[in-house]
Amino acid sequence: GLLRVDHVGIAVPDLDAALKFYADNFGLHCVHQETNEEQGVREAMLAVGDGSGPRIQLLAPARPDSAIAKFIDRSGPGLQQLAYTVADVEAAADALRARGLRLLYDTPKRGTAGSRINFVHPKDAGGVLVELVEPA
Ligand code: CMX
């Protein structure tokens, strides 16, 4: 099952500009940054408050053909995904498949900080791109 909200992902055109905006206006600071070549994203995780709760993930396109680039082209910057922490991403994906939901990947891919991830198609989840995250 789902253990907690892991992060909320926000598509941004420019990661450095977004990091400055979040720091200056909301006082939120980056606790992790990386480029995920497979996903075609430059991403940053921001802690809120004491950092014990869900993170805010800023996602900027690293390539024009990436999922984030396509999202921004179609919908503009904004909320792109809601991610839940799971203990076992394969088991969580199997349980949702058994209920008839489409998972984007047959086998998990690599997410932030060595996590293993999969997604429920937004058309099968009420218009929300749902990510399942098994932390490293
Ligand atoms: N949230 C809600 N709806 C979305 C969406 C999103 N993030 N992305 C696409 N959609 C909607 C579109 O608006 C479109 O709706 P309409 O048909 O009503 O216009 C529909 O889904 C399109 O679906 P599609 O043609 O099957 O797929 P797309 O080519 O638009 O790609 C998706 C959508 C979810 C399959 C693609 O973005 C994807 O593979 N996402 C997973 C990977 C990802 O998001 N990586 C970046 C983050 C990496 C990380 O978290 O580590």
Side-chain angles (χ1 to χ4, degrees):
L2 308 179
L3 300 178
R4 57 189 170 271
V5 175
D6 190 276
H7 63 266
V8 174
I10 299 173
V12 302
D14 178 327
L15 189 63
D16 296 323
L19 283 168
K20 182 168 166 34
F21 177 89
Y22 275 79
D24 290 352
N25 293 287
F26 300 133
L28 299 189
H29 293 283
C30 180
V31 292
H32 178 82
Q33 194 173 326
E34 69 181 77
T35 297
N36 185 328
E37 297 291 350
E38 184 179 30
Q39 293 287 338
V41 292
R42 287 187 68 210
E43 55 160 281
M45 287 292 190
L46 310 184
V48 183
D50 68 4
S52 63
R55 301 207 188 287
I56 303 300
Q57 182 184 41
L58 303 178
L59 297 157
R63 296 193 300 269
D65 64 339
S66 60
I68 294 299
K70 191 168 177 185
F71 179 88
I72 291 173
D73 286 347
R74 177 157 42 199
S75 308
L79 290 175
Q80 188 260 350
Q81 58 167 266
L82 173 59
Y84 296 100
T85 311
V86 297
D88 180 337
V89 67
E90 270 140 342
D94 281 346
L96 294 169
R97 276 192 204 98
R99 299 192 57 82
L101 277 61
R102 277 171 296 165
L103 277 289
L104 293 186
Y105 310 138
D106 290 338
T107 55
K109 291 192 190 286
R110 189 192 165 284
T112 308
S115 60
R116 299 166 73 233
I117 61 171
N118 207 335
F119 295 87
V120 181
H121 195 285
K123 291 294 171 188
D124 288 357
V128 178
L129 176 60
V130 171
E131 182 177 5
L132 306 172
V133 184
E134 178 188 321

